[in-house]
């Protein structure tokens, strides 16, 4: 299998400035690799750094040391050392992320949020609209809500909009932070199917799944983080 991400000796520490500048180790010498067509599930106790690891890989957190190599259109890029413009470029076409919380510009309609993402990839207007409407329907977002801001939605609806943003483009690498949280059984099954489809087209997926049944159905391998942020 072809590796799409390789993390080597990654370390991250938070400094608590309001508590006497105490240093709190979060990630300690993390080494992992994920290949095309596989889902690597991150597991570990609360506070072991699972979400922090995804945020570091996405470039939301700068790391203290280590490397995050991502394969971008045949070229290996160390995201840990990349300039902000390069990180944004990776996010646009290579690196998708479904977080636990919806962050959008207020008052922008849901359909427009997805359409903007697809059109930025050069997809024609009509095709982009069909793609977005199809995915929203599949995730059971009622059509009456498509022209409203998702900030007005319920928690489960907001999470499905987050999922739509992550799967609207065929990203080669997907980061999933509790994608099935707050979802009912039918929508969990839909998300599982989206994950399996992404794997079948060759995406590498790193995911956090506290629902063991979901994890067992979609994950190919397990990567365990210890409580101190190291790996086991």
């Amino acid at each position: 299998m072809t590796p799409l991400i390789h993390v080597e000796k990654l370390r991250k520490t938070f400094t608590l400035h309001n508590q006497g500048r105490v240093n709190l180790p979060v990630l300690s010498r993390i080494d992992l690799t994920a290949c095309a067509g596989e889902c690597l599930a991150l597991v570990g106790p609360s506070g072991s750094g699972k979400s922090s690891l995804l945020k570091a890989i996405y470039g939301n957190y700068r790391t203290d040391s280590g490397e995050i190599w991502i394969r971008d259109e045949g070229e290996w890029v160390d995201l840990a050392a990349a300039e902000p413009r390069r990180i944004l470029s990776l996010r646009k076409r290579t690196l998708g992320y479904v977080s636990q919380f919806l962050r959008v510009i207020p008052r922008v309609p849901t359909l427009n949020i997805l359409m903007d993402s697809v059109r930025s990839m050069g997809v024609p207007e009509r095709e982009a609209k069909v793609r977005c409407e199809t995915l929203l329907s599949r995730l059971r977002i009622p059509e009456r809500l498509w022209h409203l801001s998702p900030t007005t939605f319920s928690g489960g609806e907001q999470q499905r909009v987050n999922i739509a943003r992550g799967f609207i483009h065929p990203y080669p690498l997907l980061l999933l932070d509790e994608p099935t949280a707050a979802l009912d059984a039918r929508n969990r099954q839909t998300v599982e199917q989206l994950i399996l489809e992404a794997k079948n087209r060759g995406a590498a997926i790193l995911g956090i799944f506290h629902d063991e049944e979901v994890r067992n159905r979609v994950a190919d391998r397990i990567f365990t983080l210890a409580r101190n942020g190291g790996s086991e």
Side-chain angles (χ1 to χ4, degrees), residues 108-113 136 139-154 156-158 160-161:
V108 176
T110 297
L111 185 59
N112 290 35
I113 291 171
L136 287 172
L139 287 165
R140 300 178 183 84
I141 301 294
E143 187 173 351
R144 60 183 171 80
L145 299 181
W146 294 356
H147 300 286
L148 300 177
S149 168
T151 58
T152 66
F153 294 1
S154 70
E157 289 166 341
Q158 289 188 4
R160 280 176 275 157
V161 173

Side-chain angles (χ1 to χ4, degrees), residues 4 22-23 34 47 52 54 70 72 117 154 193 209 211 216 218:
L4 295 185
V22 172
N23 290 325
S52 294
L54 292 187
I70 292 176
D72 179 37
S117 175
S154 70
Q193 188 59 40
F209 309 96
D211 187 323
N216 291 339
V218 302

Side-chain angles (χ1 to χ4, degrees), residues 100-209:
Q100 294 185 42
F101 306 102
L102 178 69
R103 293 181 176 86
V104 295
I105 299 174
R107 295 182 293 280
V108 176
T110 297
L111 185 59
N112 290 35
I113 291 171
L114 296 186
M115 288 275 291
D116 289 346
S117 175
V118 178
R119 284 185 302 221
S120 71
M121 300 301 299
V123 178
E125 180 86 10
R126 184 181 296 274
E127 181 183 341
K129 189 170 186 290
V130 170
R131 186 190 298 185
C132 295
E133 290 179 347
T134 299
L135 186 55
L136 287 172
S137 296
R138 189 173 177 187
L139 287 165
R140 300 178 183 84
I141 301 294
E143 187 173 351
R144 60 183 171 80
L145 299 181
W146 294 356
H147 300 286
L148 300 177
S149 168
T151 58
T152 66
F153 294 1
S154 70
E157 289 166 341
Q158 289 188 4
Q159 181 64 0
R160 280 176 275 157
V161 173
N162 250 348
I163 292 163
R165 293 172 77 188
F167 284 89
I168 195 62
H169 174 69
Y171 293 104
L173 177 60
L174 272 170
L175 311 175
L176 308 178
D177 194 347
E178 284 293 336
T180 58
L183 300 185
D184 58 28
R186 290 182 68 197
N187 284 307
R188 282 199 302 272
Q189 290 176 355
T190 299
V191 175
E192 288 177 24
Q193 188 59 40
L194 288 170
I195 293 171
L196 294 175
E197 290 171 8
K199 287 170 56 178
N200 287 337
R201 65 169 168 76
I205 300 172
L206 271 63
I208 302 169
F209 309 96

Side-chain angles (χ1 to χ4, degrees), residues 68-92:
I68 304 171
W69 291 100
I70 292 176
R71 192 173 182 85
D72 179 37
E73 297 184 337
E75 176 187 2
W76 283 100
V77 178
D78 181 8
L79 186 142
E83 296 294 326
R85 183 178 299 179
R86 192 71 171 93
I87 294 173
L88 292 176
S89 175
L90 284 168
R91 291 177 179 179
K92 180 178 178 180

